[in-house]
Amino acid sequence: DAKTTQPTSMDCAEGRAANLPCNHSTISGNEYVYWYRQIHSQGPQYIIHGLKNNETNEMASLIITEDRKSSTLILPHATLRDTAVYYCIVRGGAAGNKLTFGGGTRVLVKP
Amino acid sequence: DAGVTQSPTHLIKTRGQHVTLRCSPISGHKSVSWYQQVLGQGPQFIFQYYEKEERGRGNFPDRFSARQFPNYSSELNVNALLLGDSALYLCASSLTGSETQYFGPGTRLLVL
């Protein structure tokens, strides 16, 4: 499975953009980058995914570098309810359809 | 639209007992995956089912088994419970297994 590397934790200010980096240098051509988040004791919530193009939805934007070795999840206006653990996952290809979760980034949004 | 539902929400068992956890996927989804999340760690893949057939299995002992029913709901069974089986058990559904997976709220199992 392609591995991902994320910072262990980060803080951001309420109302500001939160930029969450992820490295996936061993990603292969047919593997997608997925982002989920998990608010304490709840099931993971799907945020966004992409293959090579940048993606945007109502929750966030996903910026994937041209070489696909890293990506950034952007929460445009962080709120206190965005406090969660954010997981960057590479999925598909030889690894199949399972999601392999790493440690994620613990994001604390402060007022 | 209803999301993925799981039952029960919480469960307490003793070592050696057996447990059955249940999951109903999002309407129209034919694939269900199960994950185990031990406190302080990310979820770990246990099984994936599609159209009642096992499509993938994680690194879990044979005490763990699952099945999927004609209505696409699923059960996860764990025999001979160990203290280390205490965890949040998550179910996720997707259309055919290769699309985005959507998670339920989980069942929290405590083994005493």
Side-chain angles (χ1 to χ4, degrees):
Chain A
D1 298 359
K3 299 278 191 253
T4 62
T5 304
Q6 300 177 251
T8 304
S9 64
M10 62 183 295
D11 295 345
C12 65
E14 186 180 20
R16 304 294 291 271
N19 296 294
L20 282 63
C22 179
N23 287 319
H24 31 79
S25 58
T26 60
I27 193 170
S28 61
N30 57 352
E31 290 179 316
Y32 286 79
V33 179
Y34 274 78
W35 284 83
Y36 284 81
R37 72 181 183 185
Q38 189 171 27
I39 297 169
H40 183 62
S41 295
Q42 299 180 20
Q45 178 188 22
Y46 165 75
I47 301 173
I48 199 167
H49 74 282
L51 183 62
K52 57 177 82 170
N53 297 322
N54 298 336
E55 302 287 345
T56 295
N57 63 20
E58 64 279 3
M59 288 184 67
S61 295
L62 174 60
I63 309 298
I64 302 174
T65 58
E66 194 167 341
D67 63 7
R68 303 187 70 237
K69 293 185 177 182
S70 66
S71 60
T72 301
L73 179 75
I74 301 172
L75 307 177
H77 304 287
T79 71
L80 299 180
R81 287 183 293 182
D82 291 323
T83 292
V85 177
Y86 287 76
Y87 295 100
C88 169
I89 298 166
V90 171
R91 179 198 181 204
N97 298 317
K98 65 180 180 181
L99 296 170
T100 301
F101 289 80
T105 297
R106 190 170 297 275
V107 174
L108 177 61
V109 180
K110 296 182 175 180
Chain B
D1 287 344
V4 177
T5 59
Q6 293 185 244
S7 63
T9 56
H10 294 81
L11 201 53
I12 299 175
K13 292 286 189 179
T14 57
R15 281 176 296 175
Q17 284 189 312
H18 160 271
V19 69
T20 298
L21 310 181
R22 296 177 175 84
C23 171
S24 292
I26 292 170
S27 177
H29 285 193
K30 299 182 178 181
S31 178
V32 167
S33 298
W34 288 94
Y35 294 80
Q36 179 197 63
Q37 186 173 25
V38 173
L39 195 62
Q41 299 180 17
Q44 299 297 306
F45 172 74
I46 311 175
F47 287 110
Q48 184 181 67
Y49 276 78
Y50 170 63
E51 291 277 15
K52 298 178 288 181
E53 298 289 327
E54 182 182 303
R55 285 294 184 87
R57 183 183 186 116
N59 188 24
F60 280 81
D62 291 343
R63 299 185 296 107
F64 289 76
S65 63
R67 55 180 176 166
Q68 187 177 31
F69 299 99
N71 67 354
Y72 306 112
S73 67
S74 177
E75 283 182 355
L76 176 70
N77 295 283
V78 187
N79 292 323
L81 285 167
L82 304 174
L83 297 180
D85 295 331
S86 295
L88 179 67
Y89 288 85
L90 296 159
C91 172
S93 80
S94 60
L95 282 169
T96 66
S98 56
E99 303 83 9
T100 299
Q101 294 183 21
Y102 296 89
F103 285 83
T107 294
R108 188 163 297 282
L109 172 65
L110 177 61
V111 182
L112 300 176

